[in-house]
Amino acid sequence: MPGPQGFTYDTHHDGTVRITHHGRPATTLRGPRAEAFLTEVTTGDPQLVMARWTGNYRRGNERQARDHPRNRR
């Protein structure tokens, strides 16, 4: 499974961090959450960290859900 791609983040003068995915706003972090995000993004894989903070990442069960009888057509 390929890793997440297309995430970017911008830090504003008031400490706000805005995360975008393919140019569309995904989430905005302020205060202690923004500080925690910035420390984590510098120590880990930035794309994976941003995907996790936005909730936009695969959970590993997509193939199973596709094969479920309810989802077959």
Side-chain angles (χ1 to χ4, degrees):
M1 181 166 52
Q5 298 176 347
F7 288 97
T8 58
Y9 72 94
D10 295 319
T11 306
H12 298 276
H13 68 282
D14 61 352
T16 302
V17 176
R18 185 162 293 140
I19 302 174
T20 60
H21 186 244
H22 294 293
R24 303 179 102 182
T27 191
T28 302
L29 304 171
R30 293 179 179 91
R33 292 194 65 205
E35 293 172 18
F37 168 77
L38 290 172
T39 57
E40 189 174 342
V41 80
T42 58
T43 60
D45 176 23
Q47 291 294 309
L48 187 59
V49 170
M50 286 185 274
R52 197 169 50 74
W53 276 79
T54 60
N56 187 3
Y57 60 97
R58 294 185 179 266
R59 291 154 183 88
N61 63 351
E62 288 82 10
R63 187 170 294 155
Q64 294 171 348
R66 183 184 63 211
D67 295 335
H68 192 274
R70 177 183 60 226
N71 297 329
R72 290 189 192 164
R73 291 191 186 219

